[in-house]
Amino acid sequence: MTDFQEQKWIQAARKGDPDAFAELVRLYEKKVFALTTRLCGNPDDAAEAAQEAFLSAWQGLPSFRGDAAFSTWLYRLTHNACTDLLRREGRHRAAAGPSFNDEEAAVSVPDPTPSPQEQAEEKELRRQLEAGLAALSPDHREVLVLREIHQQSYEEIAQILSLDLGTVKSRISRGRKQLRNFLLKSGNFSAAPPSKEAGKEGCK
Amino acid sequence: MKYCEEYAALLDLYADAELTADEMQRVEAHLAECPACRAYVDDALAIRAAFADLEDVEIPEGFAESVCAAIRADAAPRKKAKKTAHWGRVLASLAACCAIVILLRNGPIAGKGNSSDAMMKSVNTSAAFDTAASTESAPAEAECVADDAMLFSAQDCENYVEDTTANTALTTDPSAGMPETAEETVAGKQKGSAESGSTSSLEDRKETAVEEPQSTGSGTNMVSDEFSVWIDGQSLKLGAQTGTFPWGTALQAKGSRTWSSDGFACFEIVCEDGTILQGLRREGAEDEADGTITQITTENPAWQTWRGAYIGMPLDEFLALYPDAARRENAGPGDHSYSYSDELPGSNQLVVWFESGTLSSFTLANGLDGFLY
């Protein structure tokens, strides 16, 4: 798939070609579900929000001028769809797991013992990563997902979430630090073991 | 082992390649001699690598087909995109205001918003409403007459209601707690001067703000307040509402209206101090607290300043300050209208309105789904 091909689909979909739009759905469904799954908390809501996002995209395409990235625009619609769905159902965004108040807050680490089916190291790390994400506040979780899974720049995340750049920087920094702490405390994340040269409180 | 506080914020920006070349070098030099910070960056990159697996989420079989089936069943009907000529009509209705519009836009994506029809309606009707509000003479019905029926129907006008809770203080979530951004910290620090009637410009505030990272220990400039508007020392910002309002202050609402447009429930709240908030939420989200603020307009001279511009500023003085402002062509007869490009964070835009030769109000809008021209 080339950017050129994607642009062709976008232009055709703008003009009302549902088949071209279907190609766009297939192209982006993974990314959209990656976001809705983490924001909505359960598969049914995730699917509903994803469908809402794509239907909004279909409706809004005639006004889409193609200046901003299609993906950024679509993620914004996805964010809106999730937010709306959770509010409509009387829940405040992704009520998955406890929230951190501070990066140093004590966290309850799930049993790190892998089940027999989860022996593979990668699988375990993924499980821990999902658990760590779920323990983040929804705001911090969302910016990290957009940054790491969707590879959005800070500027793009600011647009998607209607935040100023400073807030995006702050949330990514806090969220990542919380996630790192979670993974370190879980005992299954040792990508960068502490150096003996370093003092306990850092280098200063 | 903990990273250095001084580099706490820079390390993430480094890992995300969001620093300038000079800053990248500075961090690299530090990493070369600090194992604790190096460990943090290594962990951040390891986390990123692990994230690659997280894209693989289960997607219901036939999802794309079901979306297309819904489209073909016209479950999400489209409306025709409006032509720019409509803007001309709307702006013509502003002639009485003799408005000068300065659009300040930013960056590579500034103004490249992809507004839906709903969003455009939101903006257009806001412009008309702003006119009515500032002249204090045009009833809601008149706005509709002046406006394009496609943009704002008579039925929409009837939906305008005087808020029965007019004297209810609309306060925000007091659980603001620690400021999440340096900007918020600065806002708090500015409170004293604002309350004492100071009308210091945001340029002044910016200078203060630039020093802020030192006190936060972030070691980087995370301040982007120059586009913000201020009330009671608090920065009003565009974005999702997380309470009654998205900032930590109190306003008195004297009226509000809502209208439906292309799957969005648009809303507009008029406050006692001359602040007008406009935003939208997806249809079906009935909670007033829901939604996204896309536009903030204010006429309150106590806090409405921007880079040396202020309420009541004479036109010639403003143009002396911004000599390269370019006149806009489609603002309607009798208007003085100029556009001006400058850097604003994100895709936000600032619109400066003039009436009878003096600056009358500012509008801060989200360029992505707020004010487009």
Side-chain angles (χ1 to χ4, degrees):
Chain A
M1 222 296 300
T2 63
D3 287 346
F4 177 70
Q5 180 63 63
E6 180 185 348
Q7 288 307 314
K8 281 178 66 177
W9 287 336
I10 291 170
Q11 292 309 319
R14 279 191 65 179
K15 293 173 183 167
D17 180 351
D19 294 327
F21 190 73
E23 296 294 346
L24 290 172
V25 174
R26 291 187 192 98
L27 183 62
Y28 280 102
E29 61 184 2
K30 262 192 172 184
K31 295 281 192 190
V32 166
F33 268 83
L35 191 56
T36 61
T37 300
R38 271 89 194 187
L39 292 179
C40 295
N42 72 69
D44 289 344
D45 285 352
E48 185 179 340
Q51 170 138 342
E52 282 293 314
F54 280 116
L55 291 181
S56 295
W58 171 257
Q59 284 183 304
L61 261 175
S63 301
F64 176 67
R65 299 191 302 180
D67 295 334
F70 177 78
S71 56
T72 299
W73 179 66
L74 180 61
Y75 300 153
R76 179 174 173 79
L77 296 176
T78 306
H79 162 81
N80 289 343
C82 291
T83 304
D84 179 54
L85 183 142
L86 292 170
R87 283 173 174 160
R88 194 169 59 224
E89 302 199 358
R91 285 167 292 146
H92 288 287
R93 309 172 63 193
S99 291
F100 294 101
N101 290 320
D102 186 78
E103 67 170 284
E104 301 301 335
V107 295
S108 170
V109 178
D111 180 4
T113 307
S115 66
Q117 293 77 30
E118 294 174 328
Q119 291 298 322
E121 196 174 305
E122 279 185 15
K123 211 168 183 179
E124 174 59 13
L125 181 54
R126 173 179 172 154
R127 192 179 74 82
Q128 289 295 340
L129 197 53
E130 290 282 15
L133 268 182
L136 294 178
S137 75
D139 287 342
H140 291 113
R141 185 187 316 137
E142 188 168 25
V143 293
L144 273 187
V145 168
L146 286 169
R147 177 74 199 107
E148 305 292 17
I149 298 182
H150 298 82
Q151 283 105 41
Q152 296 290 289
S153 71
Y154 285 29
E155 185 71 44
E156 288 167 333
I157 294 171
Q159 290 188 20
I160 291 167
L161 303 178
S162 294
L163 296 172
D164 65 75
L165 206 52
T167 304
V168 173
K169 290 177 182 176
S170 172
R171 286 186 183 174
I172 286 178
S173 182
R174 286 193 184 197
R176 188 178 281 145
K177 286 175 175 61
Q178 290 166 7
L179 187 58
R180 179 190 185 230
N181 279 354
F182 183 98
L183 294 171
L184 290 174
K185 287 176 183 176
S186 74
N188 285 301
F189 183 69
S190 56
S195 165
K196 290 176 183 174
E197 302 165 33
K200 193 177 178 184
E201 298 303 319
C203 64
K204 294 207 171 179
Chain B
M1 183 175 64
K2 200 177 173 191
Y3 42 81
C4 302
E5 286 299 335
E6 182 187 348
Y7 282 86
L10 281 179
L11 296 177
D12 291 288
L13 297 171
Y14 174 80
D16 293 325
E18 293 271 355
L19 294 173
T20 63
D22 286 349
E23 291 169 324
M24 292 290 277
Q25 283 185 353
R26 182 181 153 215
V27 175
E28 278 168 10
H30 175 71
L31 291 177
E33 56 187 32
C34 179
C37 287
R38 207 161 56 232
Y40 179 80
V41 171
D42 287 345
D43 284 351
L45 297 179
I47 289 172
R48 169 163 307 152
F51 258 105
D53 291 338
L54 267 59
E55 188 183 328
D56 288 325
V57 294
E58 193 173 334
I59 297 171
E61 197 173 338
F63 173 76
E65 288 70 24
S66 72
V67 171
C68 290
I71 288 170
R72 289 200 167 90
D74 214 20
R78 282 176 162 180
K79 292 184 180 179
K80 287 181 182 176
K82 285 176 284 301
K83 298 169 186 173
T84 52
H86 294 147
W87 246 114
R89 291 195 207 175
V90 172
L91 288 169
S93 71
L94 296 176
C97 282
C98 193
I100 289 176
V101 182
I102 308 295
L103 294 174
L104 299 132
R105 315 176 68 196
N106 171 45
I109 314 179
K112 293 178 180 177
N114 312 291
S115 74
S116 68
D117 290 357
M119 293 160 178
M120 289 295 286
K121 287 180 182 177
S122 165
V123 167
N124 292 337
T125 52
S126 173
F129 189 79
D130 189 26
T131 303
S134 57
T135 57
E136 296 181 354
S137 60
E141 290 76 6
E143 297 165 31
C144 297
V145 173
D147 209 330
D148 186 320
M150 260 189 77
L151 302 178
F152 190 47
S153 71
Q155 183 61 47
D156 290 328
C157 289
E158 290 168 13
N159 290 339
Y160 181 86
V161 291
E162 285 298 323
D163 193 332
T164 54
T165 59
N167 293 318
T168 303
L170 299 173
T171 52
T172 47
D173 178 9
S175 64
M178 278 183 62
E180 188 161 28
T181 65
E183 177 182 342
E184 289 165 7
T185 307
V186 174
K189 287 195 172 187
Q190 292 289 336
K191 190 167 186 175
S193 62
E195 284 179 344
S196 64
S198 165
T199 56
S200 61
S201 71
L202 288 183
E203 184 67 25
D204 295 336
R205 297 177 194 276
K206 183 189 174 190
E207 287 170 9
T208 306
V210 169
E211 297 171 4
E212 187 61 24
Q214 294 174 5
S215 62
T216 62
S218 67
T220 186
N221 182 6
M222 291 165 51
V223 178
S224 54
D225 65 329
E226 59 196 303
F227 64 96
S228 301
V229 287
W230 298 72
I231 183 166
D232 291 342
Q234 300 286 342
S235 168
L236 299 195
K237 291 185 290 188
L238 304 174
Q241 286 181 278
T242 54
T244 308
F245 282 110
W247 59 89
T249 189
L251 291 175
Q252 300 283 336
K254 69 177 180 182
S256 67
R257 64 174 175 173
T258 60
W259 66 97
S260 178
S261 175
D262 288 1
F264 289 90
C266 303
F267 61 88
E268 195 161 63
I269 302 168
V270 184
C271 302
E272 294 282 1
D273 75 335
T275 304
I276 300 168
L277 306 168
Q278 191 172 77
L280 49 86
R281 55 180 175 270
R282 302 299 304 280
E283 208 94 67
E286 297 300 332
D287 185 352
E288 286 278 332
D290 286 344
T292 297
I293 294 287
T294 56
Q295 189 163 314
I296 303 170
T297 297
T298 184
E299 302 161 1
N300 188 337
W303 55 276
Q304 207 179 13
T305 59
W306 185 81
R307 286 189 180 179
Y310 57 91
I311 297 290
M313 186 180 200
L315 169 62
D316 52 359
E317 193 179 320
F318 182 85
L319 291 178
L321 195 60
Y322 295 101
D324 51 345
R327 179 165 185 160
R328 295 183 61 211
E329 298 296 330
N330 60 345
D335 285 359
H336 299 287
S337 178
Y338 297 85
S339 64
Y340 180 82
S341 294
D342 201 347
E343 290 191 0
L344 282 176
S347 54
N348 294 315
Q349 299 169 359
L350 189 68
V351 184
V352 186
W353 302 86
F354 282 79
E355 277 180 59
S356 305
T358 59
L359 203 163
S360 59
S361 69
F362 289 88
T363 296
L364 178 67
N366 179 327
L368 194 63
D369 55 14
F371 201 107
L372 294 169
Y373 66 98

